[in-house]
Amino acid sequence: MIVAMQENATEEQIDVVIDAMVDVGVNVHRTTGATQTILAGVGPTAGVDLNKFEVFPGVLYVHRITAPYKLAGRAFRPEGTVIEFSNGVTVGGNQVQVMAGPCSIENREGLVETARRVKAAGGSFLRGGAFKPRSSPYAFQGLGIPGLQLMHEVAEAHGLLTVSEVMEISQIEPMLPYVDLFQVGARNMQNFNLLRELGQVRKPVLLKRGIAATIEELLLSSEYIMSGGNYEVILCERGIRTYETSTRNTMDISAIPVLKKLSHLPVVADPSHGTGRRDMVAPMAKASVAAGADAILVEVHPNADKAASDAAQTLYLEQFERLMVDLRVIATAVGRTL
Amino acid sequence: MIVAMQENATEEQIDVVIDAMVDVGVNVHRTTGATQTILAGVGPTAGVDLNKFEVFPGVLYVHRITAPYKLAGRAFRPEGTVIEFSNGVTVGGNQVQVMAGPCSIENREGLVETARRVKAAGGSFLRGGAFKPRSSPYAFQGLGIPGLQLMHEVAEAHGLLTVSEVMEISQIEPMLPYVDLFQVGARNMQNFNLLRELGQVRKPVLLKRGIAATIEELLLSSEYIMSGGNYEVILCERGIRTYETSTRNTMDISAIPVLKKLSHLPVVADPSHGTGRRDMVAPMAKASVAAGADAILVEVHPNADKAASDAAQTLYLEQFERLMVDLRVIATAVGRTL
Amino acid sequence: MIVAMQENATEEQIDVVIDAMVDVGVNVHRTTGATQTILAGVGPTAGVDLNKFEVFPGVLYVHRITAPYKLAGRAFRPEGTVIEFSNGVTVGGNQVQVMAGPCSIENREGLVETARRVKAAGGSFLRGGAFKPRSSPYAFQGLGIPGLQLMHEVAEAHGLLTVSEVMEISQIEPMLPYVDLFQVGARNMQNFNLLRELGQVRKPVLLKRGIAATIEELLLSSEYIMSGGNYEVILCERGIRTYETSTRNTMDISAIPVLKKLSHLPVVADPSHGTGRRDMVAPMAKASVAAGADAILVEVHPNADKAASDAAQTLYLEQFERLMVDLRVIATAVGRTL
Amino acid sequence: MIVAMQENATEEQIDVVIDAMVDVGVNVHRTTGATQTILAGVGPTAGVDLNKFEVFPGVLYVHRITAPYKLAGRAFRPEGTVIEFSNGVTVGGNQVQVMAGPCSIENREGLVETARRVKAAGGSFLRGGAFKPRSSPYAFQGLGIPGLQLMHEVAEAHGLLTVSEVMEISQIEPMLPYVDLFQVGARNMQNFNLLRELGQVRKPVLLKRGIAATIEELLLSSEYIMSGGNYEVILCERGIRTYETSTRNTMDISAIPVLKKLSHLPVVADPSHGTGRRDMVAPMAKASVAAGADAILVEVHPNADKAASDAAQTLYLEQFERLMVDLRVIATAVGRTL
């Protein structure tokens, strides 16, 4: 850590800061410049709240020098993480994977039709939500575990893997037989109790970026899972909240190459939530693959207009099939397969 | 709801939209202007996902006309809600209340000293966190229920009420004997399962605005609690995330009068989290009262520098006492007591 | 325009609003629902400040129904605008164009080397700034008109067109002989006097989105230029300011397909300013072309580390050449040439 | 400046960075930790673009240690700047000043009525815009210099000072006889040519914060003016752009105490632009004074609904008079006069 003192800081103020630095367990190196004193603290600061140094009298700035995450950092595994699933499908390798399905699991018929066409088009995961606590207390709330059983059965019959959102610790256990990939939603990105429990699970976790989360916070949340021993985390960019309102969120495509640089974990892009608009999903899916995404997560429904949730951002199956053709060309253009 | 068609929308496109509007249960009034057709849907749309209309071909804009909340709206109780606690203290009335205490409950000695001086200075609630899942997996995680027992005992001995954060449904029951006011943190503002359970409780809830939540979303979350029958909700402004970095969050003081206008619920301001800096707490607390806040929530600690969490934003007890003197003058200046 | 009254609005309040609507020149259609009155105003509202209706007593919401721009709207020229330059190069057609060069024009030698390699790699425009008022009063301020003369001469010798930023009305005239495309910087996107003057010029204008500008505001600014008679406007996405700090700005790639949908104007992407980091320029340039950009604007310099300005985001020439190879493949993948 | 290298940075990479640091003129102190090397550069870096160091291979973070401004910093004049105007009125002293008037100067009659009542209520400045380039090309564009002559005459007759916005360098000279305080609008906060010219003027400048400007950028812009020799700068908070839409901008009240801490310059708050809503102006004006503002800038108009611009945020004269009574009480409560 680095503490830069104000130009007019007194010796007494500097001493108070040095004592507090020693207190948190770092060795202090002092550099006295012509106008300013700089204190460098060397030692482990991962668990230290550095903000408190900012409000000491005489302090100008405090900076953490090391990244506050370790296991998630690129240096931990420079060659990159490749997650292999039971059927041999990999995320993080050369092949770009596509995960598709309805926002909510609704009924067998629609799900079978979806699974059949997702598989035929080249998708490898069937997605679908079973728990749907909605922002309006009056909307459809999901089928629960029976829905996941149904999805698991349909996916298996079509040679697909399953991904579904877990919202509470109590859901982990009952979901375990039916999902191949646990999804943590944007609202739970900093639900640290849930993350810690998922660190104990031996199934991969897809961790969505919160709508107001920084890239550093996303990596710190992945660290939470990894510190429990579960190193199979996939990071997901799904749009952040900005002042722009023509899309529901602003999809931060640059987060994809930034995450690939800072971390060894695979990165998936979710253009459905990223834009909130069906007509923007295809261009943003293509942009994501061009920018280096390892997988695409997208909402499709045989009767998209009438989907029980997220209808506006859900692709028709025909649109999805066309998109898959286009994505394959883009993947090839960036030296990958799909 | 209003759907404005694009200038060049075809009759066929208009018909598709009208059918879909009828489908969600509204009566459609069509206005055909010289350049543009406008469709007004009259009827209940609270549970309807209007976004899906935006991606119909030929649609320019869709607007929800009614506010998506009802119970939380000012019209529901124009005179305003006043919440009365067991000892007669009220929030939402003429008296401005102050809720103060450490971020985390740490030990009896410090808590007693805090309670004594908070009470002496005119505070009415003792605050303190018992569950502290932290963004770094390596930091202090809280004392749990025993901590709440301690706080309850200390508060009672000093004639104070207690407020503490509930993070999971499973914590509600064990917390019930020890807290007078359940606090829902910013990260849980859209944890709808938790909100629904709190709707069943017969104790007031302090609901914090999420760091990326709009005022409308905050009101919709309060609606979730109220729709369960618990009408005693206090809304809390505690800073939103913006591009500005000199404060940890940007405290949206204007949210206070906006909430007072849109809703009948009391509004509390949290300048500790709102700014993240001890030296900004006092001016922002004063600004909040001047802008119409019904209560102030603030972090204090006898040894603020060494607080186990949030040290940077925690006031020393002397600072708190000075602030209380100043706040009383401001409260008087806006026609209230403290 | 639509005015939705609050549920408890009085007849008197409604009458005041109706009178004010008639006052601004619209015909009012009133719909009285069970709970709420809605007033639809039909007629031209382009020059009307609708905000003032929001603060009338009894008003809930006001919405503008027509887009506030006309000439820039897709409906005005559904087939899209293709701008043809003197040498036959087109922007907005099937071919993706690349505009490259240093942030600031510095010296002949570097510029010749840059032009030679930009041209050889397939670029069509040489970019370079002549006026560089910088955020620090102590930094390099640009070569002025002599710099533009130099750039024009070098560009012509290599078969390239020129693009450079105009910052003040007084610069238009002297720049005219030397630039093929006037660039308006992000800070001047709402310099309406400058925009109006550029509406009188008969050379195309590249209009950059302000760092806090909405897509609608960008289109309204383009309308300003077009309303003067200059229909040759190219819109530029170059990153917006958000809370994320790992890139200098957050490049809003989704703005590209949104702009292509709402407007007929060509769209160019600037990944140099969009990210502020050399190592992110290539993935974001590829993403932009995949998302439908008509052109790419990028900073290159033979000695990028020592560029007089924007060094961090400037590509080395070798990086640029590699990027051009990759972009050509992506362009082909989306059915275009480069 | 501090450069933190990545954990796995090579000696070669470190040498490249050291050379580049020496190149920009700083002395380099190297600290080699167990896991990481830190390079401290001591020397003047005000004119140096530090971003470029961030993209050197092997670099983790770069931090500027000194504030990039000097003249604007609190240390430059710890006792604070008090600006005295010709009639003895001061800004930055103990008395809080109020600047009020219409958004646009429209006609003598309205202006006289406004001036009379602003003065009677205790205001000290008459504000009014003469140049009104508007976001819609179809709206009222202002009266120009004759409007300023009118305002000057009316203000003088009532014992008021004048403040008006300057938008271009060419306007400075003709405005000089008529304004006591030059206002630089939010859109021009980074119009460095204009700022530099105002640095040559011997009249105070009110500098508005841009809607996407950080506090540091605002201070750097003030530095631009001051570096020309004009030290009489007043900083203005007038709302920033965030995702919240219930107010036009989000007024960053915390900027007031932050600016007072970082700088010696007086701070004025503009709740009219800060909220964009007449009904929010009063609470936010009160909050601003409570938070430490030295002055309030507010829009008033005898016929606010029909003001030629900014009608929604303009107070009726009666509202203004009531506000002045309330503000005086708040000013007293924070130990000041008004």
Side-chain angles (χ1 to χ4, degrees), chain B residues 288-316:
Chain B
S288 299
V289 172
D294 296 303
I296 297 293
L297 179 66
V298 71
E299 294 186 353
V300 296
H301 190 286
N303 198 349
D305 287 342
K306 311 223 170 177
S309 49
D310 280 356
Q313 70 193 39
T314 299
L315 294 184
Y316 298 97

Side-chain angles (χ1 to χ4, degrees), chain D residues 92-137:
Chain D
N94 191 61
Q95 190 171 27
V96 176
Q97 303 298 346
V98 176
M99 308 170 174
C103 176
S104 306
I105 304 166
E106 295 171 35
N107 58 61
R108 176 182 299 267
E109 193 190 356
L111 206 58
V112 167
E113 171 72 356
T114 303
R116 189 177 62 78
R117 292 175 66 178
V118 165
K119 179 66 181 180
S124 43
F125 284 78
L126 185 63
R127 58 146 292 153
F131 308 103
K132 291 277 137 189
R134 305 285 290 288
S135 51
S136 165

Side-chain angles (χ1 to χ4, degrees), chain B residues 5-288:
Chain B
M5 303 300 296
Q6 292 171 356
E7 294 190 17
N8 55 0
T10 63
E11 269 307 305
E12 203 175 276
Q13 290 172 336
I14 294 169
D15 285 348
V16 169
V17 174
I18 291 176
D19 287 355
M21 291 173 75
V22 170
D23 243 40
V24 299
V26 299
N27 293 318
V28 181
H29 297 248
R30 175 175 176 167
T31 307
T32 309
T35 58
Q36 204 178 6
T37 294
I38 292 169
L39 305 171
V42 178
T45 56
V48 179
D49 174 15
L50 296 192
N51 291 324
K52 75 172 175 181
F53 289 94
E54 286 195 2
V55 288
F56 275 90
V59 169
L60 183 67
Y61 282 129
V62 179
H63 294 299
R64 188 186 292 278
I65 292 299
T66 47
Y69 47 85
K70 293 215 170 298
L71 302 174
R74 173 57 77 168
F76 182 73
R77 207 183 269 176
E79 72 286 6
T81 286
V82 179
I83 299 176
E84 184 169 346
F85 288 83
S86 57
N87 62 354
V89 164
T90 57
V91 175
N94 190 61
Q95 189 171 27
V96 176
Q97 304 298 346
V98 175
M99 308 171 174
C103 176
S104 306
I105 303 165
E106 293 171 36
N107 57 61
R108 175 180 300 266
E109 195 190 353
L111 206 59
V112 167
E113 171 74 356
T114 303
R116 191 177 63 76
R117 293 175 67 177
V118 165
K119 179 66 182 181
S124 44
F125 285 78
L126 185 62
R127 61 145 292 153
F131 308 103
K132 292 275 138 190
R134 305 284 290 288
S135 53
S136 164
Y138 309 107
F140 174 68
Q141 311 276 331
L143 291 186
I145 296 295
L148 289 176
Q149 284 178 298
L150 174 63
M151 181 165 73
H152 176 66
E153 190 190 309
V154 171
E156 204 165 47
H158 290 85
L160 293 167
L161 297 160
T162 58
V163 52
S164 192
E165 182 175 353
V166 55
M167 312 194 79
E168 289 177 12
I169 292 173
S170 62
Q171 295 166 353
I172 296 176
E173 194 69 27
M175 287 179 73
L176 213 45
Y178 309 120
V179 300
D180 296 297
L181 175 57
F182 279 101
Q183 176 179 318
V184 176
R187 286 178 190 153
N188 277 316
M189 192 201 85
Q190 296 190 317
N191 182 339
F192 296 113
N193 290 335
L194 179 61
L195 300 184
R196 193 162 31 214
E197 290 301 316
L198 288 168
Q200 305 302 323
V201 169
R202 286 302 162 268
K203 282 206 170 161
V205 177
L206 185 159
L207 178 65
K208 288 198 163 186
R209 180 182 186 184
I211 60 162
T214 62
I215 285 173
E216 187 172 292
E217 288 166 343
L218 174 60
L219 289 171
L220 206 48
S221 285
S222 73
E223 184 93 355
Y224 235 88
I225 300 171
M226 297 175 84
S227 66
N230 185 354
Y231 286 13
E232 304 203 311
V233 179
I234 302 171
L235 306 169
C236 179
E237 164 60 31
R238 44 77 71 210
I240 60 174
R241 184 156 271 184
T242 71
Y243 65 82
E244 176 60 57
T245 56
S246 60
T247 42
R248 195 167 65 173
N249 300 297
T250 297
M251 195 168 170
D252 180 8
I253 296 279
S254 65
I256 299 169
V258 170
L259 285 169
K260 295 300 287 181
K261 178 169 191 182
L262 296 178
S263 175
H264 55 85
L265 297 171
V267 177
V268 54
D270 174 355
S272 300
H273 287 87
T275 65
R277 298 178 59 103
R278 183 184 301 145
D279 50 356
M280 297 301 144
V281 168
M284 295 308 280
K286 288 189 255 182
S288 299

Side-chain angles (χ1 to χ4, degrees), chain D residues 199-212:
Chain D
Q200 305 303 322
V201 169
R202 285 303 160 267
K203 281 206 171 162
V205 177
L206 186 157
L207 179 65
K208 288 198 163 187
R209 181 182 184 183
I211 60 162

